[in-house]
Structure formats: structure tokens, C-alpha cells
């Protein structure tokens, strides 16, 4: 089972990477979302796929019994939310790019390069 | 006590940032001089201890395991520097307040604050015994020197000079850091006293050459020795008070300080002293040559400073007890007369606005007191009796005669000192007394502030020489003992009889007078040698800068063509290469899991569906199809979490996927949905190979990880303590809000910040007439059911929040579910309805949530001294036993922050679509 999950996570990682390398920025955003999902699945597997028992201390007990590893779960939970925020902000950026530049291709978005070199050469001085 | 002095200096400098403006606006900026005067008086209290030959050491352990201690040590040599720094600093502050009278009070205040900060950095450098602390303050002096040289921020030449100074001195500082680290590795200690005491051991170590090279480069860059001398004449762009303080009396002497402290090591290494003397002689000759060629008043003084620093380096390099005596004596004498001359130059520039020497003349009529001070200082510089300069020159010659190096250094010293005599005359006699009629009027007359500094320092040069006992006992003798190691018998008097030193001095004065008389023709003849300008160090520096920039342009042009895909391709390829290299060098092979576990058909099929979704997303032509496929993989991930014991994760992932579908659809509806492929077939196959390679690496890594023994230490720790200490049954939630609460606080901050970003990118610009989003015809079924769904989801979110500590739920899940409630209203009735339902700005909500989360940690800080240590309260409310803690506050804060953020996203994106 863990081999299958590793295979699926790696496969999704590859799909996400392939999409991130596209020149269409919306595909990049979707690819990043896929990457986030794949990495979350991979991180989750650090706890080893063994049991379906959630890490809840049962009523009456004082310690956690046999259950899934809680530590990777805690890490992945915030990762999911932050990955979501990242996806949405990138979508907002693509919307802005479309509105201001009228293109969705990354090689046609050149407004920063067209501003020129920020470090102008210094003048000659005699003293 | 020393630590208190240093801390007072730092605090007073910080306070002067605020106080300075207040004082300068009332023309009382000179009151800030009370800070250095106070420090000077405080230092005088150590007079007795230092005179008796003791050193004062104070130790503050910082990171003892790393060898970093804040150790401060006050011995005779450091005492000399401290008195100079504070004394001259006080006079500089008074002078600067009068000099900068034409500037705005804010600028004056900034200058004075920088001077005080610089003073603190200098004090720290000379008082530090730990080499790392010394390095810290050393770099601080470079930084403040940069800020002072570039004080005229609008002038390109000032900025260029400041950058040049920073490049050179900070580069030397890096070499010094390398040397310090090597010393720490070799000796096992970073203490300067250890270096001095264990000098033979250090000299025998295999790293001694890099260590000495680093120390030399650090000292030579700071003290403007050849070939790093070119920054000092350029630093004359600074306002003159800064030049008088930094570039003559204090900062440039730091290199000498360092070399003097390392002298036992330098002496023990063959060739160490020779290097110092050789570099010093070249510096002296180059500086003397350029001093004759220079046109500006301050540039002449700058080159003469370089030459004097060369003399000091040579004195450190010479062996014998008189060399140490001469070093200390010349340090003091030079500081006194050079600062005075800079003050006088400043007064002239301030009064006339002229900088070139040949335009000045007959100024004694307008600036009489300045002329007197200048004469006194020049006589000291020329080495004429009865001034301190004469005494120090005598020591210099005696040291040279007594040392093992004879003829060549002495000849160079005679020549250079003669040039210094000529310079003294040129700088004083020409502007003030000769050339009457060149200057017809001055803009500013002399004021007390401008005169106090030069007169005091010039008179000191005379008084100390005539009555040397106090200074000799308290300052000079202990300083010499500190650097030589043993007390030296010195007769500090004016007349010792007709000695060889006196004859040499006479020769120097004679040649110098000749130089002065024939100054103009020599000056013009040397200036015509413009061919030499092409080979000077400054041109080398400029060429180096150009070469670095050109190389950077070539590399950037090669690697960064402006196509994002190329950047990413480089990054991914490099990452893959590093991983493969790491795998190969790790040595051991890939571990495969031995027990495969039972294959469950349902979850297996689900996982494969997820993979199919990912593949569909890559091949989809339409963006909507790609988005749906991505959402499918997210749902599969959520189900996987659910089926493998992570219900919290499953809930979060379900909520996130739903929100992603809503929000991305809103975004995509504003974009063209048909997305043609943007890569050529070859590019696509290349990308496929790269992606496949990296995914194979990930697969191998995951297999290896699952085959490795699982470390359950953390899980057992949390599992054992979650209920007993943190009163929570949901271990995941307890980890998030209690054990690792600070991490979660950071992540909540990130989420709240993303709300600000999204709002500023999208923020609905509210139309004044109420907006077009108000009247929206909605689907009947949805309109009927939406209030029900809204209240259900809102209630569910509150339940999830409240039960999160003991059951499945929590702040993150609750916030996302609440956001879903608002999403339904926005989808059904439009953004405006949703906003009115919220009744406040989403950013306010997010900010309030973050504030709540931050505040929830404060009770723990107050009660236990640990921030974010949660406190639990047990109450009996109407017979019901209630136990709650600040974890609920923290979770509520997270809830509100997540809700506010997602609503900011939601309102922004749906508004974009509606407009």
C-alpha cells in the first residue's frame, strides 16, 4: 500500500512539475496546486501508512493508543491552508496580469525588463 | 564599569536620534557634546588603576560553548585610544554644530547622532577583548564611516566615495574575519589576551600565513596603506568634522591598533616585520608624492595622513623598545595636530567656500584665531621644538637607529618627514599669510564653536610637550607597557643634548623648508606627470568594478533570458543534480520496503483515480478542464487522508478544495478558457523528461523513507502528554495550538499577510451607487436553500471550533467552513449581500484574529514567563463544571484570521468577475 501511495505522490509531483514549466501562467498556477497536493501526500507518508485509527485519545484513557502518527498531520494541516492561500494569490496575480498586459504567456510579460537597468553607471569624478 | 560606560554611550547615541532634533532646532546641538565629555570624565576615574599598571577586565558570558563572551578590557593602550576618542569626539560635536549651521536642524541632528554612534563603535573596538566582538565593532565603524562620507546623499561623488570606502574597508573586514576564525580554530579561544600570551604557539601553527595575511589586509584597508590607500583622499567628500574625527584622529588608527596588538605574533613569524616595513615605506613614498601633487586643501591633508599612517605601520614593524614608545608618542601627537589642521581647513572652507589651495590667501585678517591654531599645529607637524611633534619625531628617529633595520627606512623616513614639513607650511602659511588680496570677504566669521576645537587641541600639543608628567604617567607609559610587554624607561623631555636624532630632525626641517620655498614649481612639475595617473590604485579599483559588472552581465545574459521557463528549468535541473550527487556520495544503496502490507482495493483504486486526474490536468486543452482535474486530485487526497487516519486533514482538504473550485472558477471566468499549448514539441518532451526524472527521485526517496525505521519519539512524547499536560484529546490540534503554538502563530501571520496581498491586488473598488452586483437574478432553488445552508455551515463552523481541542475540528477547519457559508451567499446573491452579512471588512476580521492569537499567549508570559504557555481555568457555572484555557482564544484567533483571509479572497475575486 505504501508503495502505491508513494507511486501516486511521485506521479502527481511529476505532473505538477510538468505543468509548472509551461509558459501559460494559468497552467503554472494549476501545476503549483497539483505540486502542493503531491507534496502534502508525500509528507503525510512520513507517518507510515499503517492504520486508519485517528490520533484521538479515547475517553477514559490518558495516553494515545495505537494510531496514525500525529506529528506529520500537524505539519500538513497548516501546509494545506498556506498552499491554498498561495494558489489563490497566484490566481489573483494572473488576473491582474491579464487586465494590465493583456497576455497570459510568461514570455510576453516583460514590464519589469522594459523598465531598464536599476543600477545606472556612476559619473566620472575628478578631485 | 567599562561595560556601563559602553552601554551608556550606546544608549545616549540612540537617544540623540530623538533628542538631537529637539536640540538642534533650538541651536543647542552642541549640548550633545555632554555625552562624550561625560564619558571622558568617567574614563578619568580609571587614571589611578591604569597608572599603576593594572588592567580592568569585565566579562559577560554570551555563548560560552561557542567561545563568544563579551569581554571588555581596559589597559594602557586602550586607555589612550578611549581618551582620544571621547575627547576629540566632544570637540568634534561642538565644531560640527557650528559648521553645519547652514543645514536644516534635522540634518544636523542626523550628523551628530552618527558621530555619537561612531564614537560608540570606536570605544567598543578598542575595549573589546574577544576577537569576534572586536570584529563586530570594527565593521560598525566601517558602516558609520560610510554613512558619514555619504552624508550629502544628493551628491553622486559623495555616494561614490562612500561606496568606495565601504568596499575597501568592509572587504578588509572580511579578511580579518577569516583570520579571526582561523585563530579560534587554532588556539581554541577568541580572546585577544590569549593571542598575545600564546604568540609563539600561534606562530608555529600551519595556518599562520593565512591568519597574518587576513590581519594585514584588515589593518591595511582600515589604515589606508598601499594599495588600499585610495579611499582616504576620496573620503574627503565627507563634511569636515567627520574628516577630522574619522579620517585623521580615530578610525584610521584602528589598523595600527590591531597591528600593535598582534605585534608579538608578527615578530615571531619570519618575514612579518619585513612585510610591514616594506608596505609602510611604499605607502609613505606614494603618499608623499601625491601630497605634493594634490590641489585641494583637504586632499593634501588626507595624503599627509596616509603618510603618517605609513610611519606608524613602520614603527609597529620595527623591533626594540623605542619603537613602541615612538608609536604611542606619534599616535598622540598626530591625532592632536592633524585634527586641528582639519578643523582649520573646515573653517576656511566654511568661511570662503574655496577648496583649492591656490585660490586661498591672506586669510589671517578674517580668521585670526584659526590662523594661530593652524600655526601651532603646523609647527607640531613640522616637528619643531617645543611642540609634541618634535618629541615624537625624536622618538621616531631613535627607534629607527636602535632597530636592526638601518639605512633604507631611515632615508625614506627623512624624505617623507621633510615632505610633511613642506606640507605643514603649505597648509598654513600659504592660505593664511601669503597671497594677500586673493580673498576679499568671508561668508561666516569665526564663532566660539568653530574655535574651541582647534585651539584646545593645538594648545594641548604645546602643553603636553612642556609639562608631560601627567600624560606621561597616566597614558603614555602604560600604553607602551601594554604593547611592548614590559615597562620601558623613557625620558620624555625636550632637550637631551646633541644626539643623532637631533641632527636628523634638523636635516628634516632643512629639507622641508627648501621644499616649501620651491613648492609651486615642484607642485606644477609633478602635476604634469599625468601618465602616472593611469596606474594608480584607484584606477585599478574602478577597473575591477567594471570587470565585475561586465562578468555579471554576461552570466545573467547567459542564464536569464527573460523566460520564466528557463529559470525554472535551471532550478529544477540543479536541484535534481544535487539530489543525485547526494545519493551517490551517501554511499549506501536504496532501501526497499520489505513488508508491503495488505493492498486494499478501494483506497488503491481511489489513489489511481487521483493519478489519472493529475495526468488529465497535464493534457487538458481547456483551462476549466484542467482546473476540474486538479480539484479531483485534491478530493482524492482528502479521501486518502480520511481513509488513513487523518480526519482533521480530510476536513481541511475538503473545505479547501471546495473553496479552490469556487475561487478559481471566479478567476477563470474572467480569462480566455481556451489555452493553446505554449511550448514546442521538443520543449514539451524535454520538460517531460525533467519532470519524470524528478518524480523518479521522489519515488525513490519515499520508498527509502518507508523502509527506514520510523522514529516515534515525537509521537510518543505528544501522545503521552497531550491529555495529561495540555488537557486535549485531539493530539493534532494540541500540537498545533499548544506544543508548537509559536509555529502556528507564524503561519497565521502568513495567512493574514496573504489577505493583505490579495486585497491590494483585487480589492473591490466600491462603486458609489451601490454597485452592479446588487441586483442579481439568482436561481430559485439556490435562493431558497441558501439561508438554510448559511446557518447550517455557520453553526457547523462554531461547533468545529469549540470541540476542536478534544474531537475532530479546530480553528483552521472552523474558519474554512465559515468561509464556505459566506461563499454560498456570495454565489447566490452576489458579493454585496455577502459583505453586508459580514458587517465588517474582511481585513479587519483577519487582523483581529491575528491580534487575538498574539494576545492569547500573553497570560502565559505574565504568569509563567513563557510566551504562549497556555493557562487553564476551571469554573463552576450554574453547577456545570467548565474547564477552558487560552487555547480556545488562540484557536478563535486562527479561526478569524482564516475566515477573514478567505473572505478577502472571495470578495475580491467575485467582484472582479462581476465588474
Amino acid at each position: 500500500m505504501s508503495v502505491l501511495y508513494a507511486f501516486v505522490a511521485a506521479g502527481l509531483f511529476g505532473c505538477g512539475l510538468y505543468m509548472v514549466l509551461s509558459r501559460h501562467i494559468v497552467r503554472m498556477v494549476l501545476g503549483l496546486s497539483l505540486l502542493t497536493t503531491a507534496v502534502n501526500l508525500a509528507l503525510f507518508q512520513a507517518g507510515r501508512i499503517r492504520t486508519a485509527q485517528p490520533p484521538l485519545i479515547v475517553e477514559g484513557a490518558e495516553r494515545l493508543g495505537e494510531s496514525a502518527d500525529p506529528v506529520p498531520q500537524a505539519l500538513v494541516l497548516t501546509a494545506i491552508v498556506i498552499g491554498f492561500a498561495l494558489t489563490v494569490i497566484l490566481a489573483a496575480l494572473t488576473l491582474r496580469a491579464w487586465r494590465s498586459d493583456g497576455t497570459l504567456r510568461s514570455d510576453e510579460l516583460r514590464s519589469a525588463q522594459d523598465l531598464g537597468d536599476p543600477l545606472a553607471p556612476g559619473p566620472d569624478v575628478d578631485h | 564599569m567599562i561595560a556601563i560606560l559602553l552601554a551608556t554611550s550606546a544608549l545616549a547615541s540612540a537617544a540623540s536620534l530623538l533628542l538631537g532634533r529637539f536640540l538642534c532646532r533650538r541651536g543647542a546641538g552642541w549640548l550633545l557634546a555632554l555625552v562624550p565629555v561625560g564619558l571622558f570624565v568617567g574614563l578619568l576615574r580609571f587614571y589611578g588603576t591604569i597608572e599603576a599598571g593594572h588592567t580592568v577586565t569585565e566579562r559577560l558570558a554570551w555563548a560560552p560553548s561557542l567561545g563568544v563572551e563579551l569581554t571588555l578590557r581596559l589597559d594602557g593602550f586602550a586607555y589612550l585610544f578611549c581618551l582620544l576618542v571621547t575627547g576629540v569626539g566632544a570637540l568634534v560635536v561642538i565644531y560640527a554644530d557650528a559648521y553645519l549651521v547652514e543645514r536644516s536642524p534635522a540634518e544636523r541632528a542626523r550628523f551628530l547622532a552618527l558621530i555619537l554612534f561612531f564614537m560608540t563603535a570606536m570605544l567598543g573596538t578598542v575595549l573589546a577583548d574577544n576577537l569576534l566582538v572586536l570584529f563586530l565593532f570594527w565593521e560598525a565603524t566601517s558602516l558609520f564611516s560610510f554613512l558619514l562620507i555619504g552624508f550629502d546623499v544628493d551628491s553622486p561623488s559623495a555616494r561614490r566615495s562612500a561606496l568606495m570606502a565601504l568596499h575597501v574597508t568592509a572587504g578588509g573586514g572580511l579578511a580579518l574575519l577569516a583570520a579571526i576564525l582561523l585563530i579560534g580554530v587554532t588556539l581554541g579561544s577568541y580572546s585577544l589576551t590569549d593571542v598575545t600570551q600564546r604568540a609563539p604557539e600561534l606562530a608555529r601553527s600551519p595556518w599562520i600565513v593565512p591568519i597574518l595575511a587576513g590581519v594585514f589586509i584588515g589593518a591595511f584597508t582600515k589604515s589606508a596603506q598601499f594599495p588600499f590607500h585610495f579611499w582616504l583622499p576620496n573620503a574627503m567628500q565627507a563634511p569636515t568634522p567627520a574628516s577630522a574625527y574619522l579620517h585623521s584622529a580615530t578610525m584610521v588608527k584602528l589598523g595600527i591598533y590591531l597591528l600593535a596588538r598582534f605585534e608579538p605574533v608578527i615578530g615571531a613569524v619570519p618575514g612579518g616585520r619585513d612585510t610591514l616595513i616594506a608596505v609602510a615605506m611604499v605607502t609613505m613614498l606614494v603618499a608623499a608624492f601625491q601630497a605634493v601633487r594634490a590641489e585641494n586643501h583637504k586632499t593634501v591633508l588626507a595624503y599627509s595622513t596616509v603618510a603618517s599612517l605609513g610611519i606608524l605601520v613602520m614603527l609597529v614593524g620595527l623591533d626594540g623598545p623605542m619603537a613602541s614608545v615612538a608609536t604611542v608618542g606619534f599616535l598622540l601627537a598626530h591625532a592632536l595636530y592633524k585634527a586641528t589642521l582639519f578643523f582649520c581647513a573646515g573653517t576656511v572652507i566654511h568661511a570662503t567656500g574655496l577648496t583649492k589651495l591656490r585660490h586661498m590667501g591672506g586669510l589671517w585678517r578674517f580668521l585670526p584665531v584659526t590662523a594661530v591654531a593652524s600655526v601651532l599645529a603646523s609647527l607640531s607637524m613640522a616637528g619643531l621644538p617645543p611642540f609634541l611633534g618634535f618629541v615624537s619625531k625624536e622618538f621616531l628617529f631613535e627607534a629607527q637607529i636602535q632597530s636592526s633595520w638601518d639605512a633604507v627606512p631611515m632615508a625614506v623616513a627623512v624624505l617623507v618627514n621633510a615632505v610633511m614639513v613642506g606640507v605643514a607650511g603649505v597648509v598654513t602659511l600659504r592660505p593664511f599669510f601669503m597671497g594677500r588680496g586673493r580673498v576679499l570677504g568671508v561668508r561666516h566669521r569665526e564663532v566660539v564653536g568653530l574655535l574651541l576645537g582647534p585651539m584646545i587641541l593645538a594648545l594641548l600639543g604645546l602643553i603636553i610637550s612642556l609639562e608631560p608628567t601627567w600624560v606621561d604617567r597616566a597614558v603614555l607609559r602604560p600604553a607602551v607597557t601594554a604593547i611592548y610587554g614590559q615597562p620601558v624607561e623613557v625620558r620624555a623631555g625636550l632637550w637631551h643634548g646633541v644626539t643623532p636624532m637631533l641632527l636628523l630632525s634638523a636635516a628634516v626641517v632643512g629639507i622641508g623648508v627648501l621644499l616649501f620655498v620651491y613648492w609651486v614649481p615642484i607642485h606644477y612639475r609633478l602635476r604634469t606627470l599625468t601618465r602616472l595617473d593611469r596606474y594608480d590604485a584607484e584606477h585599478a579599483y574602478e577597473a575591477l568594478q567594471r570587470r565585475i559588472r561586465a562578468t555579471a552581465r554576461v552570466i545573467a545574459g547567459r542564464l536569464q533570458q527573460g523566460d520564466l521557463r528557463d529559470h525554472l528549468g535551471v532550478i529544477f535541473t540543479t536541484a535534481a543534480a544535487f539530489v543525485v550527487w547526494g545519493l551517490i556520495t551517501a554511499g549506501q544503496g536504496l532501501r526497499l520496503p520489505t513488508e508491503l502490507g495488505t493492498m486494499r482495493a478501494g483506497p488503491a483504486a481511489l489513489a489511481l483515480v487521483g493519478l489519472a486526474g493529475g495526468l488529465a490536468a497535464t493534457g487538458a486543452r481547456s483551462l476549466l478542464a484542467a482546473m476540474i482535474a486538479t480539484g479531483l486530485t485534491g478530493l482524492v487526497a482528502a479521501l486518502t487522508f480520511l481513509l488513513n487516519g487523518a480526519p482533521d486533514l480530510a476536513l481541511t482538504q475538503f473545505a479547501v478544495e471546495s473553496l479552490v473550485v469556487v475561487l478559481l472558477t471566479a478567476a477563470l471566468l474572467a480569462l480566455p478558457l481556451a489555452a493553446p499549448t505554449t511550448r514546442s514539441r521538443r520543449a514539451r518532451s524535454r520538460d517531460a523528461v525533467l519532470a519524470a526524472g524528478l518524480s523518479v527521485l521522489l519515488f525513490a526517496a519515499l520508498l527509502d523513507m518507508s523502509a527506514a525505521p520510523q522514529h516515534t519519539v515525537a509521537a510518543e512524547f505528544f501522545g503521552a502528554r497531550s491529555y495529561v499536560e495540555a488537557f486535549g484529546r485531539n493530539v493534532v490540534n494540541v500540537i498545533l495550538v499548544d506544543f508548537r503554538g509559536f509555529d502556528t502563530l507564524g503561519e497565521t501571520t502568513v495567512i493574514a499577510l496573504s489577505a493583505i496581498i490579495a486585497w491590494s491586488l483585487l480589492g473591490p473598488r466600491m462603486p458609489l451607487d451601490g454597485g452592479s452586483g446588487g441586483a442579481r437574478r439568482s436561481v430559485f432553488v439556490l435562493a431558497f436553500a441558501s439561508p438554510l445552508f448559511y446557518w447550517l455551515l455557520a453553526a457547523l463552523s462554531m461547533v468545529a471550533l469549540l470541540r476542536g481541542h478534544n474531537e475532530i475540528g479546530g480553528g483552521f477547519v472552523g474558519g474554512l467552513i465559515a468561509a464556505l457559508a459566506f461563499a454560498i451567499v456570495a454565489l447566490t446573491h452576489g458579493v454585496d449581500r455577502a459583505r453586508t452579512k459580514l458587517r465588517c471588512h474582511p481585513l479587519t476580521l483577519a487582523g483581529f484574529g491575528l491580534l487575538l492569537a498574539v494576545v492569547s499567549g500573553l497570560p502565559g508570559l505574565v504568569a509563567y514567563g513563557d510566551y504562549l504557555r497556555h493557562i487553564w481555568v476551571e469554573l463552576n457555572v450554574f453547577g456545570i463544571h467548565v474547564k477552558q484555557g487560552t487555547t480556545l482564544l488562540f484557536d478563535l484567533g486562527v479561526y478569524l484570521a482564516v475566515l477573514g483571509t478567505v473572505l478577502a479572497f472571495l470578495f475580491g475575486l467575485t467582484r472582479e468577475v462581476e465588474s
Side-chain angles (χ1 to χ4, degrees), chain B residues 222-303:
Chain B
K222 194 67 114 170
S223 291
Q225 299 297 296
F226 185 86
F228 307 112
H229 62 285
F230 55 92
W231 70 266
L232 194 54
N234 277 296
M236 295 299 116
Q237 294 284 339
T240 315
S243 304
Y245 196 27
L246 274 67
H247 307 125
S248 64
T250 50
M251 183 179 104
V252 291
K253 301 269 170 60
L254 271 186
I256 315 291
Y257 174 83
L258 190 70
L259 289 173
R261 288 288 192 207
F262 273 85
E263 200 191 336
V265 183
I266 299 173
V269 174
R273 291 191 189 276
D274 294 329
T275 319
L276 279 184
I277 296 180
V279 168
M281 287 202 295
V282 174
T283 309
M284 286 198 280
L285 289 172
V286 168
F289 181 69
Q290 295 282 42
V292 180
R293 292 183 74 217
E295 285 191 313
N296 274 338
H297 196 166
K298 282 172 71 174
T299 314
V300 172
L301 288 175
Y303 277 117

Side-chain angles (χ1 to χ4, degrees), chain B residues 436-756:
Chain B
R436 183 153 32 142
R438 276 200 207 128
V439 175
L440 296 173
V442 291
R443 289 199 298 236
H444 300 275
R445 311 217 73 119
E446 293 174 330
V447 287
V448 175
L450 288 175
L451 295 176
L452 202 62
M455 279 314 292
I456 289 184
L457 291 177
L459 287 174
L460 270 179
L462 184 58
I463 295 172
I464 294 180
S465 165
L466 291 175
E467 183 43 64
T469 29
W470 187 87
V471 175
D472 187 42
R473 275 205 330 257
V475 178
L476 296 176
R477 223 171 279 216
V480 172
T481 315
I483 50 176
Y484 187 64
Q486 308 158 24
V488 178
E489 183 54 49
V490 172
R491 306 153 341 221
L494 279 175
W495 180 252
H496 301 297
V498 180
T499 50
M501 290 83 72
L502 193 63
L503 293 174
L504 280 171
S505 295
V508 162
V509 173
I511 304 177
V513 166
L514 269 178
L515 264 173
F516 172 68
V517 167
Y518 292 105
W519 186 266
V520 174
I522 299 178
H523 171 79
Y524 276 113
R525 174 55 64 94
L526 288 182
R527 272 204 81 83
T528 55
L529 293 172
T530 48
R531 189 87 72 83
L532 291 173
D533 276 339
R534 260 186 276 151
Y535 299 106
D536 65 2
E538 191 171 333
H539 272 79
Y541 165 80
E542 298 275 310
L544 186 66
Q545 294 266 307
R546 277 196 299 270
R547 183 56 56 88
I548 290 176
R549 291 218 185 101
T551 316
R553 250 195 299 274
V554 163
I555 294 179
R558 202 64 61 77
L559 285 180
Q560 296 181 349
Q561 305 274 359
D563 193 356
L564 192 54
R565 183 176 154 271
D566 290 333
H567 295 195
L568 289 172
V570 168
I571 293 173
F572 292 147
T573 318
T574 318
F578 270 120
V579 170
V580 169
W581 178 65
L583 276 176
I584 295 174
T585 51
Q588 62 191 55
L590 197 60
R591 294 171 290 189
L592 291 174
T594 45
E595 47 151 274
L596 294 175
T598 50
M599 179 81 74
R600 296 173 275 160
L606 193 65
L608 289 173
V609 165
L611 186 57
L615 291 169
T618 57
R621 283 298 166 87
S622 156
L623 288 179
L624 208 52
M627 192 204 77
I628 292 175
T630 318
L632 178 65
T633 44
L635 282 175
V636 164
L639 283 169
T640 309
F641 291 144
L642 188 62
L643 292 172
N644 287 295
D648 269 336
L649 290 187
L651 263 181
T652 316
Q653 182 80 17
F654 276 127
V656 159
E657 277 318 310
S658 321
L659 285 167
V660 161
V661 166
V662 170
L663 293 171
L664 279 188
T665 312
L668 283 181
L669 283 178
L671 302 171
L673 288 176
T677 54
T678 51
R679 292 173 278 183
S680 65
R681 185 171 283 254
R682 267 186 56 203
R684 268 182 285 150
S685 39
R686 264 208 313 256
D687 291 345
V689 166
L690 182 59
L694 275 169
S695 71
V696 163
L697 282 175
L698 182 64
F699 182 52
L702 286 173
L703 281 182
D704 190 88
M705 178 179 77
S706 58
Q710 184 183 7
H711 295 289
T712 49
V713 178
E716 283 165 6
F717 177 87
F718 292 128
R721 278 162 229 263
S722 172
Y723 183 67
V724 175
E725 289 178 13
F727 309 115
R729 293 187 181 281
N730 183 352
V731 182
V732 175
N733 183 277
V734 167
I735 293 176
L736 278 175
V737 307
D738 202 323
F739 287 112
R740 298 195 57 95
F742 204 67
D743 273 351
T744 312
L745 185 64
E747 279 149 346
T748 315
T749 316
V750 169
I751 292 171
L753 286 176
S754 70
I756 300 178

Side-chain angles (χ1 to χ4, degrees), chain B residues 3 76 138 176 224 278 313 343 352 420 486 508 533 589 604 635-636 659 846 901:
Chain B
W138 179 282
L176 180 62
V313 171
F343 280 145
T352 60
M420 292 303 108
Q486 308 158 24
V508 162
D533 276 339
L635 282 175
V636 164
L659 285 167
T901 308

